[in-house]
Amino acid sequence: MVVIAKSRARIARECGALALLVLLAAMPARAEQALPTLPVDREARFVGVETCGSSECHASPEAWRNATVSMKERLIWQAHDKHAKAFTSLTSDAGRAIAKKLGIDDASQAPQCLTCHTTYVPVAQRGPKFSLENGVGCESCHGPGGQFLSTHVQPTAQHASNVKAGMYPTDQAAPRAALCLSCHQGDDKRMLGHTLYGAGHPRLRFELDTYGTLQPYHFLPDADYKRRKPMASHLELWAAGQLHAAERLLTQVKSAHAQGMFPELANYDCQTCHRPIAVDADHKPRAGVAPGALSLNDAPLVVLRALASLAAPAELAALRDDSHALQGALADTARRDQIIEKLKARVAMLANAMQARAEQSGDLAAVTRALFAEARAEQPLAYGAAESLAMALATLIAADYEQQGLSADQYQRASHALDGVYAAVGDERSYRAKTFVAALDELAATVAK
């Protein structure tokens, strides 16, 4: 398990469109449409970390008799989870420097910062023990305690009854993806943009399973936990994260372009503008992109092709063709929007296909092989896609080892090869597609079956 955690920790360092939409309308509603309201968007009482994490509850100095959880969840979150430090980062030297460039006097008082650095809810909804200074606390993820606390503390409480009362179902892959990406990618209420990056804010990159594992979990996923609350698999979490990221990207590209004459550059490859052309003689534009034109950071669409090869192989070629077509249509509003709707429909179909099938032995290896194939086919591979591929391969290969799909020797060699993959990712300025694909080939050899 230590080796697995270390492996994941490295990244911390046209007519057809109408037919497709008609088909989608006849399908069951996708998971996205049935997602519960996010915790901080609910009109309910937020009781605060000091209530949930008191010494009598989830910060108990002693284990409770017959308790099904450790009762030390707050202690783990406070010591190891970066969400606990989210508010204090606003008053750090870096936080103050970013705020100054943005013309913000005090980031710790600015709603545009607090929405993702705290459990930011209206004052009228804050209980007497609630404090913004606790950062992204219990209720940011699990929901406002005012909704479910009375049910949650009952000796007969069960997860299903807690969720029915208002607890957010973080154990389910799609709701977890929507929750995490609401800040790590942005949504309609939490907008992120190139202005933040220009002021020095770290670029947001995210992969649901990788980052969830790195927290670390403040619960113990033992047999009892899985009996009470079945856990989503690594493949489910990875897939849900990429599906939601793709849907949000497509929505953001369409809406951001509509807001003014310039696109929201946070949705595009940094290398489009920040690549030192003179020292990269081998560089050539991506498929569908003219020299000097903007290149959309379509990383989730690239890696989702590997998922399509598993769950909806008939969609694979069209998904690839449409994502390439989108790159060349960004300046043509009507054509761009048409392609975006086709892609959103294909992503929705893929989400339904994943829901309709049970995970099978060999799925992890199949998706891993498909990721290698897409990396070779998508040339030149953009930096964002390379970064996403590296994270995907690290989490899926580790999961395959956990499920005994790989031997200890194979995983040890794969772990070493992953070092080379992450070294080849480097950063936006040093990244070279050929070097990265060569590193992937070395990794592929270690997990070949």
Side-chain angles (χ1 to χ4, degrees), residues 46-351:
F46 285 73
V47 298
V49 170
E50 296 301 329
T51 297
C52 302
S54 72
S55 61
E56 297 178 351
C57 292
H58 289 286
S60 175
E62 300 293 337
W64 283 18
R65 183 179 180 183
N66 298 324
T68 56
V69 297
S70 72
M71 303 308 296
K72 298 182 185 298
E73 290 77 18
R74 179 189 177 170
L75 304 179
I76 297 172
W77 165 82
Q78 201 163 346
H80 303 290
D81 193 326
K82 291 184 178 180
H83 291 108
K85 310 296 189 298
F87 178 85
T88 57
S89 70
L90 296 177
T91 58
S92 67
D93 290 344
R96 288 195 295 269
I98 293 169
K100 183 177 180 180
K101 293 174 185 175
L102 292 171
I104 297 173
D105 291 332
D106 184 355
S108 68
Q109 300 295 320
Q112 63 264 49
C113 303
L114 294 172
T115 50
C116 282
H117 282 261
T118 67
T119 305
Y120 191 62
V121 295
V123 173
Q125 292 178 230
R126 303 174 191 175
K129 293 185 179 181
F130 179 92
S131 174
L132 290 176
E133 295 183 5
N134 283 318
V136 180
C138 318
E139 293 165 294
S140 288
C141 298
H142 298 294
Q147 284 190 314
F148 64 86
L149 189 59
S150 60
T151 299
H152 180 56
V153 298
Q154 296 300 317
T156 57
Q158 296 182 349
H159 181 61
S161 60
N162 290 330
V163 170
K164 186 177 181 180
M167 179 179 282
Y168 194 82
T170 56
D171 57 309
Q172 298 175 25
R176 190 192 296 193
L179 173 65
C180 297
L181 285 165
S182 67
C183 275
H184 285 275
Q185 182 175 357
D187 61 13
D188 295 340
K189 296 184 179 181
R190 287 153 283 269
M191 302 300 290
L192 303 167
H194 188 256
T195 300
L196 274 177
Y197 295 159
H201 192 288
R203 181 175 59 84
L204 295 179
R205 58 185 180 183
F206 188 76
E207 194 282 294
L208 186 64
D209 189 46
T210 298
Y211 277 58
T213 302
L214 288 175
Q215 282 315 302
Y217 292 139
H218 47 253
F219 59 88
L220 178 63
D222 56 12
D224 176 69
Y225 182 96
K226 294 175 182 178
R227 175 186 60 78
R228 293 181 296 104
K229 192 162 45 175
M231 292 180 64
S233 71
H234 292 294
L235 179 60
E236 286 180 281
L237 288 171
W238 173 77
Q242 298 301 329
L243 287 163
H244 191 81
E247 191 279 334
R248 290 307 310 161
L249 172 68
L250 293 168
T251 297
Q252 288 168 345
V253 169
K254 185 175 180 179
S255 62
H257 269 276
Q259 290 173 2
M261 119 177 253
F262 294 106
E264 174 45 71
L265 294 175
N267 293 320
Y268 291 80
D269 291 324
C270 298
Q271 284 192 314
T272 297
C273 299
H274 297 287
R275 178 176 53 84
I277 299 173
V279 298
D280 190 6
D282 293 331
H283 175 77
K284 59 180 180 180
R286 298 180 62 191
V289 181
L294 288 174
S295 172
L296 186 67
N297 182 3
D298 59 354
L301 294 173
V302 174
V303 298
L304 278 180
R305 296 173 204 163
L307 194 65
S309 71
L310 175 73
E315 287 294 303
L316 178 57
L319 183 60
R320 182 185 296 118
D321 291 345
D322 285 348
S323 60
H324 289 165
L326 179 60
Q327 293 284 5
L330 294 171
D332 183 337
T333 302
R335 183 163 175 258
R336 180 205 70 215
D337 290 353
Q338 182 185 46
I339 296 171
I340 284 176
E341 291 308 312
K342 288 173 65 178
L343 280 167
K344 290 179 74 171
R346 296 195 193 285
V347 170
M349 291 177 70
L350 184 52

